[in-house]
Amino acid sequence: MKPMDSEMLREQGHIMVDFIADYYKNLEDSPQDFPVLSQVQPGYLRDILPDSAPDHPEPLKELLHDVSKKIIPGLTHWQSPSYFAYYASSTSVAGFLGEMLNAGLSVVGFTWLASPAATELEVIVLDWLAKLLQLPDHFLSTGNGGGVIQGTGCEAVLVVVLAARDRIMKKVGKNSLSQLVVYASDQTHSSFRKACLIGGIHEENIRLLKTDSSTNYGMPPKSLEEAISSDLAKGFIPFFICATVGTTSSAAVDPLFPLGKIAESYGIWMHVDAAYAGNACICPEFREHIDGVENADSFNINAHKWLFANQTCSPLWVKDRYSLINALKTNPEYLEYKVSKREEVVNYKDWQISLSRRFRSLKLWMVLRLYGAENLRNFIRDHVNLAKHFEDCVAQDAHFEVVTTRYFSLVCFRLAPIDGDEDKCNDQNRELIATVNSTGKIFISHTALSGKFILRFAVGAPLTEEKHVTEAWQIIQKHATKFIHNKKN
Amino acid sequence: MKPMDSEMLREQGHIMVDFIADYYKNLEDSPQDFPVLSQVQPGYLRDILPDSAPDHPEPLKELLHDVSKKIIPGLTHWQSPSYFAYYASSTSVAGFLGEMLNAGLSVVGFTWLASPAATELEVIVLDWLAKLLQLPDHFLSTGNGGGVIQGTGCEAVLVVVLAARDRIMKKVGKNSLSQLVVYASDQTHSSFRKACLIGGIHEENIRLLKTDSSTNYGMPPKSLEEAISSDLAKGFIPFFICATVGTTSSAAVDPLFPLGKIAESYGIWMHVDAAYAGNACICPEFREHIDGVENADSFNINAHKWLFANQTCSPLWVKDRYSLINALKTNPEYLEYKVSKREEVVNYKDWQISLSRRFRSLKLWMVLRLYGAENLRNFIRDHVNLAKHFEDCVAQDAHFEVVTTRYFSLVCFRLAPIDGDEDKCNDQNRELIATVNSTGKIFISHTALSGKFILRFAVGAPLTEEKHVTEAWQIIQKHATKFIHNKKN
Ligand SMILES: Cc1ncc(COP(=O)(O)O)c(C=O)c1O
Ligand SMILES: Cc1ncc(COP(=O)(O)O)c(C=O)c1O
């Protein structure tokens, strides 16, 4: 037995392709066999797997049998057409092929030399994507900026917090860490707070500005301005603003234009986290939501969320690549090579947390080429239209209410309160979602907005069609009758 | 066109399998078509790719044609049988199939609920692997510790530095950051320094203790003891030691036993980075190199380096999972679920930097099952024996010298100096490696040890056999004749 044998790879690879193609076929044709939200109990797997690794090889057939019988029942099927939870993490045929080819070529791309194509394609493809998003020229590789694919949105925000931190520390001295202050809204993804804590920013210096329904949960520029003034007066050093386009709870949009003006006037780094909604901005009709990105220092989207790129793929663009490189570079002798210091040579190890990195741009390149920009726009439009369809259903049922203004493919809604009883309403919505998800027929998730328990219906899985949305609504309505009936009594 | 279509996935997936199987076949049969180190010049790809993404779809056939003609010439072939640079990043048929299945199922594993099997299999498989490595019981999930697959070795060291930092800060107060001190040898991977800087540790408080050939570049316990005493006397707060088993330059081994005793006596967190060599410790005859790991607080290996797991896969074990979770947890409402707080439920988002994570354990499980522990041990033994064979060749040629004691599959060697002229020797070795790599027939890398320019010959690619090693040595010898001839003059 050898670890690599091209004919064995061929034979077993074909078996695996059929296994995966069958999975997608069955996911569509036999949904009853695939509860969208896994129905297993904690510890289920320990009971049915051995305690230790086998000494001797086991046949692929047996392994795939175990995948079907033991693993798949423990999966929550993110690619199911009836998956409407969190935000989707959408794959596609092209995204899948991209992962295959990446795993097949299996090169490492930490420096240019380690595989020049891995680096150069990333530079090029991120320029392509920047153009589709109509990002300002300073984010292109041709200026001082450039793009890099981070592993995740969390890594993206972490590296820019570090770049901004080290930039300001150079000015104010490294003993000023405890005075550094950052800003975001209370809707900002938890990864922002985590990134700041990782970077040593004091927890009490993380200002999460309050939002409410009056701005549809977008950050009020006035609050930012006031917070900065007040902090400056107290001797704090404001250095970072994280704005979000498409928050995780409700897809709220922070107003980039006024926020960017404030950031600029104080010399503060502004990052725009558009992990989910940024993908939609390749469509002209959604592009307005990132108007003002011209004033940002950095911007990221998660192409694994809604650009059909399969996990993981988080393009990040920065205005000034040197601030990133200054914060993250390493120079071990064993990675030096003749042209490593040349200005035009990119070494992505210096743009990220880790050294090792896969050929990250390959699948993004394949997604863009195998679909073309126009199809990708249409995939996104289809999802938005499906969300609109769901929103219409909700709006037409007096027992329910749509809770926030919908911009993209997420609908925030709930069973409406009866006689203004918010506590009871929260309980009923809690019960409703538990019941609905326990059917295994659909999976939706929840959030809290202004203390209210809210249901989230997010469209984004690659197999979802109108019939799945209609059916989801029928399931929700059906399980809601219990509460509606109670209402009438 | 739809983003997912099971029959299209099937058809195109089969084409891709053949493309990848052919790649491996050709890599073996027609090495002249695949220069191991890519011979392209910086900027080569920009000239042959369009400036923007296509509006309309392009056929897979055309894309694969471009992969062959434009991408592959820009790859450094890490899986080539004649790849001997850095450390290998070894794939295998099982590792490749694991990546395929992971990309195919495409679930997200941030919480238990998001896909219970993804979490539970990781807990189980890391227990399996811990047992193969004979790790102490406190690293198993059944105690206070447990395992987690990090994206990379860099992430592994970062998260344990953060866990240790936050543990000590709780005791000494958050304004003491500037007094925190860390220790490692000057051979420690650059990711350690980077992790410390990310965490806000002051650069001048990173003590990289000097090593030399007298300890074969292992960290001298006496230096550590002295450094700690001296720091304590000055009011510094020592809190972290990074020991390495198998350094990146020369596969040096820090003596875990005495270092661990010191760490224990001062209550300092000791991490053991065994990214490369740790994999070999599944063989009883290499296990002694991690003797003393019982006293470590954390331990990591890179299964993508030398356990045939394909990139990326960095198992990390910690003695006290709560210190990790305390440093990295987030609790957004939208990820809460009924059993999320139950003691036996693992939410891996709280064990790592990022939120999103793939079904990371799947391929490790597949590698362990499809090969079995005994084959994996033999793959490693084969590589070590090939390195031994190369070492013998070097040792038998009086013009060359083996520079360090070889423990694993890395040979550090060089053209020997003539009349003690070290500068000339460095120049000659520099020229030799440049010439040898420019043939495209093999790829070896270099490092610096005690100021000397050293050649590294690391065996680890999955297709490498004795004939490739013999041929590599012949190529090196042939290109060395120039200097040897000069010597005689
Ligand atoms: C707005 C936003 N930012 C950041 C993230 C984190 O992205 P990742 O999971 O890739 O780290 C998410 C994920 O849901 C998100 O919705
Ligand atoms: C000893 C050691 N530690 C850590 C690393 C970093 O691992 P990764 O590239 O997975 O981040 C390496 C990689 O070469 C290594 O050799």
Side-chain angles (χ1 to χ4, degrees):
Chain A
M1 201 162 214
K2 302 192 298 171
M4 178 52 72
D5 172 323
S6 59
E7 291 318 308
M8 182 180 263
L9 184 147
R10 193 185 309 272
E11 187 195 317
Q12 300 195 333
H14 285 307
I15 293 171
M16 190 59 88
V17 166
D18 284 325
F19 185 87
I20 294 166
D22 290 345
Y23 170 71
Y24 281 99
K25 190 169 160 34
N26 294 334
L27 214 47
E28 270 196 289
D29 295 351
S30 318
Q32 68 285 0
D33 297 338
F34 301 89
V36 188
L37 175 66
S38 173
Q39 309 284 316
V40 300
Q41 292 303 310
Y44 90 100
L45 195 57
R46 170 94 55 186
D47 296 337
I48 53 177
L49 284 191
D51 279 343
S52 52
D55 282 329
H56 301 292
E58 298 176 356
L60 179 60
K61 207 176 141 194
E62 212 168 280
L63 185 129
L64 289 178
H65 182 263
D66 276 3
V67 171
S68 298
K69 298 293 173 229
K70 299 177 181 172
I71 299 297
I72 286 186
L75 296 183
T76 291
H77 299 283
W78 286 65
Q79 309 307 326
S80 160
S82 300
Y83 176 96
F84 304 106
Y86 310 123
Y87 282 131
S89 183
S90 58
T91 187
S92 63
V93 175
F96 170 73
L97 295 174
E99 283 289 337
M100 268 182 80
L101 187 56
N102 191 350
L105 298 173
S106 210
V107 299
V108 182
F110 45 46
T111 57
W112 177 84
L113 188 81
S115 262
T119 298
E120 298 202 9
L121 189 64
E122 190 160 325
V123 173
I124 293 167
V125 168
L126 289 199
D127 280 352
W128 284 14
L129 192 50
K131 287 178 196 167
L132 289 182
L133 290 162
Q134 299 180 56
L135 295 184
D137 282 352
H138 58 240
F139 284 144
L140 298 182
S141 66
T142 38
N144 273 344
V148 53
I149 300 179
Q150 299 290 330
T152 62
C154 295
E155 285 176 38
V157 70
L158 175 58
V159 299
V160 293
V161 164
L162 297 170
R165 180 197 69 176
D166 286 7
R167 189 177 74 170
I168 189 85
M169 300 277 272
K170 247 195 191 148
K171 269 208 241 164
V172 300
K174 66 177 176 239
N175 288 316
S176 310
L177 192 67
S178 60
Q179 283 140 268
L180 298 188
V181 183
V182 300
Y183 307 86
S185 91
D186 58 4
Q187 298 299 308
T188 302
H189 192 265
S190 54
S191 56
F192 174 61
R193 180 179 158 277
K194 185 161 164 175
C196 293
L197 295 179
I198 289 171
I201 307 302
H202 287 198
E203 171 123 48
E204 62 275 21
N205 294 356
I206 302 172
R207 313 262 180 264
L208 299 183
L209 307 171
K210 208 173 159 331
T211 61
D212 60 29
S213 59
S214 70
T215 58
N216 204 33
Y217 298 94
M219 196 197 306
K222 201 160 156 283
S223 310
L224 177 65
E225 180 84 57
E226 284 168 7
I228 294 175
S229 303
S230 147
D231 281 327
L232 284 171
K234 289 181 205 145
F236 284 112
I237 306 167
F239 83 101
F240 198 90
I241 296 167
C242 182
T244 308
V245 173
T247 59
T248 316
S249 263
S250 69
V253 174
D254 290 339
L256 300 191
F257 216 79
L259 297 178
K261 287 287 162 209
I262 298 170
E264 208 180 12
S265 70
Y266 290 102
I268 298 175
W269 185 301
M270 180 164 92
H271 175 66
V272 177
D273 172 2
Y276 154 69
N279 295 289
C281 299
I282 64 168
C283 304
E285 68 270 34
F286 296 112
R287 175 55 176 73
E288 59 172 337
H289 294 293
I290 56 167
D291 280 359
V293 70
E294 307 79 58
N295 296 314
D297 292 280
S298 50
F299 174 79
N300 84 287
I301 67 172
N302 273 1
H304 60 256
K305 277 199 160 58
W306 203 16
L307 210 61
F308 308 93
N310 211 304
Q311 287 183 86
T312 63
C313 184
S314 289
L316 166 73
W317 290 269
V318 291
K319 194 168 167 176
D320 168 22
R321 61 176 172 267
Y322 302 101
S323 51
L324 204 58
I325 295 169
N326 284 338
L328 299 170
K329 69 173 177 298
T330 57
N331 292 308
E333 170 63 28
Y334 45 80
L335 295 181
E336 288 303 318
Y337 56 96
K338 213 172 151 196
V339 299
S340 59
K341 298 279 195 306
R342 267 211 234 156
E343 175 57 27
E344 78 271 26
V345 168
V346 171
N347 292 305
Y348 274 128
K349 72 180 173 61
D350 298 336
W351 298 51
Q352 63 175 21
I353 301 298
S354 293
L355 171 62
S356 284
R357 64 195 328 266
R358 306 172 74 208
F359 189 164
R360 293 188 175 165
S361 55
L362 193 58
K363 69 178 168 181
L364 194 52
W365 181 59
M366 288 170 64
V367 166
L368 291 171
R369 288 191 62 182
L370 293 177
Y371 295 123
E374 215 30 51
N375 275 314
L376 288 169
R377 290 189 191 105
N378 288 334
F379 296 161
I380 285 170
R381 287 171 182 141
D382 285 347
H383 285 162
V384 174
N385 287 332
L386 293 176
K388 209 180 272 174
H389 168 53
F390 184 84
E391 186 186 32
D392 289 343
C393 295
V394 175
Q396 277 158 31
D397 185 331
H399 303 296
F400 283 86
E401 61 182 17
V402 175
V403 178
T404 55
T405 307
R406 185 198 49 72
Y407 307 124
F408 309 103
S409 71
L410 169 69
V411 181
C412 289
F413 71 108
R414 62 171 185 166
L415 262 173
I418 302 165
D419 303 329
D421 188 341
E422 286 289 341
D423 286 343
K424 189 168 171 196
C425 178
N426 286 343
D427 287 345
Q428 289 187 339
N429 278 289
R430 253 189 213 106
E431 199 180 326
L432 175 60
I433 193 176
T435 318
V436 158
N437 285 342
S438 73
T439 65
K441 290 185 180 162
I442 63 170
F443 180 27
I444 62 174
S445 62
H446 73 277
T447 191
L449 288 172
S450 304
K452 296 172 188 166
F453 188 90
I454 306 292
L455 308 181
R456 296 171 76 267
F457 188 90
V459 182
L463 288 168
T464 305
E465 295 176 18
E466 189 172 318
K467 67 177 180 207
H468 304 108
V469 173
T470 304
E471 197 196 36
W473 172 241
Q474 286 162 353
I475 292 168
I476 294 167
Q477 261 189 328
K478 179 180 147 200
H479 289 278
T481 48
K482 179 179 162 191
F483 307 109
I484 292 160
H485 179 69
N486 283 352
K487 186 182 178 179
K488 285 193 185 134
N489 287 354
Chain B
M1 200 161 217
K2 302 191 298 171
M4 178 52 72
D5 171 321
S6 59
E7 291 318 309
M8 183 180 261
L9 183 147
R10 194 185 307 273
E11 187 195 317
Q12 300 196 334
H14 285 307
I15 294 171
M16 190 60 88
V17 166
D18 284 326
F19 185 88
I20 294 166
D22 289 345
Y23 170 72
Y24 282 99
K25 189 170 160 38
N26 294 335
L27 213 49
E28 268 196 290
D29 295 352
S30 317
Q32 67 285 357
D33 297 337
F34 300 88
V36 189
L37 175 66
S38 173
Q39 309 284 316
V40 300
Q41 292 303 310
Y44 90 99
L45 195 57
R46 171 90 58 184
D47 296 337
I48 52 177
L49 283 191
D51 279 343
S52 52
D55 282 327
H56 301 291
E58 297 178 355
L60 180 61
K61 207 177 142 193
E62 212 168 278
L63 186 129
L64 290 177
H65 182 263
D66 275 6
V67 172
S68 298
K69 298 292 173 231
K70 298 176 181 174
I71 300 296
I72 287 185
L75 296 183
T76 291
H77 299 283
W78 285 65
Q79 309 307 327
S80 160
S82 300
Y83 176 95
F84 303 106
Y86 311 122
Y87 282 131
S89 183
S90 59
T91 187
S92 63
V93 176
F96 170 72
L97 295 174
E99 283 289 338
M100 267 181 80
L101 187 55
N102 191 350
L105 298 174
S106 211
V107 299
V108 181
F110 43 48
T111 56
W112 177 84
L113 188 82
S115 262
T119 298
E120 297 201 10
L121 189 64
E122 190 159 326
V123 174
I124 293 167
V125 168
L126 290 199
D127 279 353
W128 285 13
L129 191 50
K131 287 177 195 168
L132 289 182
L133 290 162
Q134 299 179 55
L135 295 185
D137 283 351
H138 57 239
F139 284 144
L140 298 182
S141 65
T142 36
N144 272 342
V148 53
I149 301 179
Q150 299 289 331
T152 62
C154 295
E155 284 175 41
V157 71
L158 175 58
V159 297
V160 293
V161 164
L162 296 171
R165 180 198 68 177
D166 286 6
R167 189 177 73 168
I168 188 85
M169 299 278 271
K170 246 194 194 152
K171 269 208 244 168
V172 300
K174 63 179 180 242
N175 288 315
S176 310
L177 191 68
S178 60
Q179 283 140 268
L180 299 188
V181 183
V182 300
Y183 307 86
S185 91
D186 58 4
Q187 298 299 307
T188 301
H189 192 264
S190 55
S191 56
F192 174 62
R193 180 179 158 276
K194 186 161 164 175
C196 293
L197 296 178
I198 288 172
I201 308 301
H202 287 199
E203 171 124 48
E204 63 274 22
N205 294 357
I206 302 172
R207 313 261 180 265
L208 299 182
L209 307 171
K210 208 172 159 331
T211 61
D212 60 29
S213 59
S214 71
T215 58
N216 204 34
Y217 297 94
M219 195 198 305
K222 201 161 156 284
S223 310
L224 177 66
E225 179 84 57
E226 286 168 6
I228 294 175
S229 303
S230 148
D231 281 328
L232 284 171
K234 289 182 205 144
F236 285 112
I237 306 167
F239 82 102
F240 197 91
I241 296 167
C242 182
T244 308
V245 173
T247 60
T248 316
S249 262
S250 70
V253 174
D254 290 339
L256 299 192
F257 217 78
L259 297 178
K261 287 286 161 208
I262 297 171
E264 207 180 13
S265 70
Y266 290 101
I268 298 176
W269 185 300
M270 180 163 94
H271 175 66
V272 177
D273 173 2
Y276 154 69
N279 296 289
C281 298
I282 64 168
C283 305
E285 67 269 35
F286 296 113
R287 174 58 176 74
E288 59 172 336
H289 294 293
I290 56 166
D291 281 358
V293 70
E294 307 77 59
N295 295 314
D297 293 280
S298 50
F299 174 79
N300 84 288
I301 67 172
N302 273 0
H304 60 257
K305 278 201 158 58
W306 202 15
L307 210 60
F308 308 94
N310 211 303
Q311 286 184 87
T312 64
C313 183
S314 288
L316 166 72
W317 291 268
V318 291
K319 195 169 166 176
D320 168 22
R321 60 175 172 269
Y322 302 101
S323 52
L324 204 58
I325 294 170
N326 283 338
L328 298 170
K329 69 173 176 297
T330 57
N331 291 308
E333 171 61 29
Y334 45 80
L335 295 182
E336 289 303 320
Y337 57 96
K338 212 170 150 200
V339 300
S340 60
K341 297 279 194 308
R342 266 211 236 157
E343 176 56 29
E344 78 270 26
V345 168
V346 172
N347 291 305
Y348 274 127
K349 71 180 173 59
D350 298 336
W351 297 53
Q352 61 174 21
I353 300 298
S354 292
L355 172 62
S356 285
R357 63 196 327 265
R358 305 171 76 209
F359 190 165
R360 291 188 176 166
S361 56
L362 193 59
K363 69 179 167 181
L364 194 52
W365 181 60
M366 289 171 63
V367 166
L368 290 172
R369 289 191 62 183
L370 294 176
Y371 295 124
E374 216 28 53
N375 276 312
L376 288 169
R377 291 189 190 106
N378 287 334
F379 296 162
I380 285 171
R381 286 170 182 142
D382 285 347
H383 286 162
V384 175
N385 286 332
L386 293 176
K388 210 179 270 176
H389 169 53
F390 184 84
E391 186 185 32
D392 288 343
C393 294
V394 174
Q396 278 158 30
D397 185 330
H399 304 297
F400 283 85
E401 61 181 18
V402 175
V403 177
T404 55
T405 308
R406 184 197 50 72
Y407 307 122
F408 309 103
S409 72
L410 169 70
V411 181
C412 289
F413 71 109
R414 61 172 186 166
L415 263 173
I418 302 164
D419 302 330
D421 188 341
E422 287 288 341
D423 287 343
K424 191 166 169 196
C425 178
N426 286 343
D427 287 346
Q428 289 186 339
N429 279 290
R430 251 188 214 105
E431 199 178 324
L432 176 60
I433 191 174
T435 318
V436 160
N437 286 341
S438 73
T439 64
K441 289 183 180 162
I442 63 170
F443 179 28
I444 61 175
S445 63
H446 73 278
T447 191
L449 289 171
S450 305
K452 296 172 187 168
F453 187 91
I454 306 293
L455 308 182
R456 296 172 77 267
F457 187 89
V459 182
L463 288 168
T464 305
E465 295 175 16
E466 188 171 321
K467 67 177 180 208
H468 303 110
V469 173
T470 304
E471 198 196 38
W473 172 242
Q474 286 164 353
I475 292 167
I476 294 167
Q477 264 191 326
K478 179 181 146 197
H479 289 278
T481 51
K482 180 178 162 192
F483 308 109
I484 293 160
H485 179 72
N486 283 351
K487 185 181 177 180
K488 286 192 184 131
N489 287 353

